[in-house]
Amino acid sequence: MSRIAYVNGRYVRHRDAAVHVEDRGYQFADGIYEVCEVRGGRLVDERRHFERLVRSSRELRMRLPMSRAALGVVLRETARRNRVREGIVYLQVTRGVAPRDHAFPAPGVAPSIVVTARSLDLAAREGAAEEGIAVITVPENRWPRVDIKSVGLLPNVLAKQAAREAGAKEAWFVDPAGYVTEGSSTNAWIVTRDGKIVTRPADQGILRGITRGVLMDVVAAQHLTLEERAFTVEEAYAAREAFVTSASQIVMPVVSINGRPVGNGAPGLTAVALRQDFHKYAESA
Ligand code: PLP
């Protein structure tokens, strides 16, 4: 079966899918995106992802090319045409195609939109969660507006590559005061020795993860104590557990940080329990 992508109003073969060389996403990373989990053929937390897309577009004064309802149709149709039951849909909107000039193009220039879908191996994902992942830390070097889900991800790319070269799966950015901000493509969490769940507030310095928001409901439902505050790398070394969250990984236990085992070096019970319950609290449609 050949993969299909949605590009500016048309479903095309993935290998033929292309945007113009003067697309502002390509020239300036002048674009925004979302990644939504597909589970049992349904979109997970579509409403929240759309709301965050709207917020990103407002912050960048970028027009969205379609309504929530129309976009929902395209996301589902792209998943369907690619026979994705378990996986992700990826959506990107850019400020469109125009002669290269840093300032915004003329108001009439249409935004570009691309949607792709990809299956993920459920068993492999569960296997990874049973093993847990290693994390390294890197200095925070991103712009202050990481609350916008922009396609400008070069520091994240370099951080993820550093992790890979160190034999780890994720890199946590650490701000100049020694506090963890977030992962290169995930939010960061710890469980303290006395069982409190700690994650950084999303008012600045991190992306407000959709998975993060839903997980807070799971934390409350399990009668656990949440502390929304920044934590240091030292605190993470001493934590009972650590984990990361994202739409494609849900809750992924962290078993080592910079080569030091977290807790007993195995996935923590809290992380596993939160992961198990996640989809009871996520919206699915
Ligand atoms: N932080 C960053 C930098 C990310 O790129 C992502 C997801 O891609 C997240 C956090 C997690 O966000 P979500 O739970 O919405 O996938």
Side-chain angles (χ1 to χ4, degrees):
M1 189 203 70
S2 65
R3 286 185 70 196
I4 301 292
Y6 175 85
V7 184
N8 293 325
R10 291 169 53 221
Y11 294 95
V12 295
R13 282 188 305 192
H14 190 268
R15 63 168 176 273
D16 301 328
V19 293
H20 195 275
V21 289
E22 284 197 304
D23 189 283
R24 291 180 62 94
Y26 182 64
Q27 293 287 350
F28 299 115
D30 190 1
I32 55 181
Y33 75 107
E34 283 295 329
V35 177
C36 196
E37 188 196 6
V38 181
R39 188 177 154 87
R42 294 152 77 97
L43 299 182
V44 177
D45 286 318
E46 179 201 358
R47 179 184 60 81
R48 292 180 174 99
H49 283 283
F50 184 77
E51 282 167 6
R52 186 172 63 186
L53 183 75
V54 168
R55 179 181 182 276
S56 296
S57 73
R58 275 208 209 105
E59 293 298 313
L60 296 178
R61 298 159 60 197
M62 191 181 289
R63 203 150 53 83
L64 288 184
M66 50 177 84
S67 67
R68 178 178 161 204
L71 191 57
V73 169
V74 171
L75 293 175
R76 278 182 190 74
E77 184 60 14
T78 307
R80 193 189 67 79
R81 289 194 189 214
N82 288 282
R83 296 196 172 83
V84 175
R85 301 285 304 162
E86 315 296 333
I88 50 169
V89 286
Y90 174 87
L91 144 74
Q92 176 171 328
V93 177
T94 78
R95 211 181 300 274
V97 175
R100 190 177 185 281
D101 177 4
H102 288 61
F104 291 177
V109 169
S112 301
I113 176 162
V114 167
V115 179
T116 55
R118 181 157 73 87
S119 293
L120 294 177
D121 182 340
L122 206 57
R125 278 203 294 169
E126 286 310 314
E130 276 163 28
E131 277 197 11
I133 61 165
V135 159
I136 62 162
T137 61
V138 295
E140 178 64 87
N141 60 354
R142 298 173 301 161
W143 75 323
R145 294 308 310 276
V146 293
D147 56 301
I148 301 170
K149 200 162 169 67
S150 127
V151 297
L153 290 172
L154 206 39
N156 309 57
V157 166
L158 295 176
K160 190 77 92 187
Q161 182 61 23
R164 184 160 299 174
E165 287 171 10
K169 284 275 171 17
E170 180 59 303
W172 280 0
F173 290 110
V174 179
D175 72 16
Y179 291 95
V180 173
T181 54
E182 63 180 335
S184 69
S185 63
T186 55
N187 287 121
W189 306 65
I190 57 168
V191 183
T192 61
R193 292 265 158 204
D194 57 357
K196 293 189 179 113
I197 319 275
V198 184
T199 198
R200 191 177 173 107
D203 41 16
Q204 54 152 316
I206 66 165
L207 180 76
R208 189 183 287 273
I210 303 302
T211 317
R212 173 187 179 281
V214 173
L215 201 69
M216 286 181 175
D217 295 342
V218 188
V219 167
Q222 293 192 356
H223 306 294
L224 299 168
T225 306
L226 177 75
E227 278 185 8
E228 227 180 323
R229 62 168 176 84
F231 61 85
T232 62
V233 179
E234 294 303 324
E235 218 181 334
Y237 288 151
R240 193 166 81 190
E241 298 182 30
F243 58 90
V244 296
T245 55
S246 75
S248 58
Q249 298 185 69
I250 312 303
V251 176
M252 180 57 71
V254 170
V255 294
S256 76
I257 302 169
N258 292 330
R260 304 189 193 198
V262 177
N264 63 3
L269 295 178
T270 313
V272 170
L274 291 171
R275 179 182 175 89
Q276 252 164 19
D277 275 4
F278 180 83
H279 289 100
K280 287 189 204 158
Y281 297 88
E283 292 172 2
S284 183

